[in-house]
Amino acid sequence: MGKTFDPESHNRLQKAILEEFAPRFAPGSECLYVGDTTHRDMVKNEMKLRELGFDITLHDKMPDVVLYREDKDWLYFIEAVDSVGPMSPERVRDITQMTEGVKSGKIFVTAFPDFAKFKRFSELLAWESEVWIADMPDHMIHLNGDKFMGPRQQET
């Protein structure tokens, strides 16, 4: 990667996204973009982003992390929320408009460091998006209606 994350909490959350979220929920994915508070474009695979149909000139609207899972042709747009910026309806709309030339499936995720931070922003989150909490890395919260409705297997 060449650059390293600064030790502030936002960047620790981005590191957790790459080290904890990606292997669990986006296995085999490639990191196409990471912007941190010091190095806005810490990682940017411009060639792959263009190949997928991105308009690179709009990088100021990029989410904190973009992962691409080639086997499913899915893009994960992830906001790392420490103080501002969850996947609100407006944010999803902006990213959708910015990526209108992208044919891959789009997944919108808000990552939080802990449950308290999630609760603080929960009313701002967009439907049809996902939530990941770094303190509970094995679980996701799905804000997507009946897509996952149904009985669950009970562990014994």
Side-chain angles (χ1 to χ4, degrees), residues 28-89:
S29 63
E30 175 185 359
C31 181
L32 300 183
Y33 180 85
V34 175
D36 86 335
T37 53
T38 304
H39 312 99
R40 184 61 200 144
D41 297 337
M42 187 172 175
V43 172
K44 183 159 68 169
N45 183 339
E46 286 191 47
M47 196 163 77
K48 186 67 173 185
L49 289 167
R50 278 198 182 94
E51 180 184 313
L52 291 169
F54 278 76
D55 180 354
I56 302 302
T57 61
L58 297 173
H59 68 87
D60 58 327
K61 293 193 175 203
M62 291 290 277
D64 294 312
V65 178
V66 177
L67 304 175
Y68 178 62
R69 185 170 172 183
E70 188 170 15
D71 66 328
K72 294 194 179 270
D73 193 26
W74 288 354
L75 281 159
Y76 298 75
F77 298 102
I78 307 168
E79 289 291 2
V81 176
D82 186 53
S83 58
V84 295
M87 281 295 178
S88 65

Side-chain angles (χ1 to χ4, degrees), residues 130-142:
E130 313 292 333
V131 171
W132 180 74
I133 300 171
D135 278 356
M136 298 176 266
D138 292 325
H139 301 282
M140 295 283 296
I141 298 170
H142 306 281

Side-chain angles (χ1 to χ4, degrees), residues 9 25 54 112:
S9 60
F25 300 104
F54 278 76
F112 296 99

Side-chain angles (χ1 to χ4, degrees), residues 102-152:
V102 175
K103 303 296 183 229
S104 304
K106 299 170 188 173
I107 299 168
F108 301 94
V109 180
T110 304
F112 296 99
D114 52 47
F115 200 77
K117 195 73 68 164
F118 160 71
K119 284 179 17 180
R120 189 169 137 208
F121 288 91
S122 64
E123 292 182 15
L124 302 175
L125 295 168
W127 289 112
E128 309 304 324
S129 69
E130 313 292 333
V131 171
W132 180 74
I133 300 171
D135 278 356
M136 298 176 266
D138 292 325
H139 301 282
M140 295 283 296
I141 298 170
H142 306 281
L143 300 171
N144 53 1
D146 66 354
K147 185 174 180 184
F148 293 97
M149 182 66 71
R152 304 283 188 253

Side-chain angles (χ1 to χ4, degrees), residues 7-25:
E8 59 188 70
S9 60
H10 183 263
N11 293 340
R12 284 194 311 270
L13 182 55
Q14 288 179 304
K15 188 172 189 261
I17 291 166
L18 298 174
E19 294 176 355
E20 302 292 335
F21 171 86
R24 287 173 171 88
F25 300 104

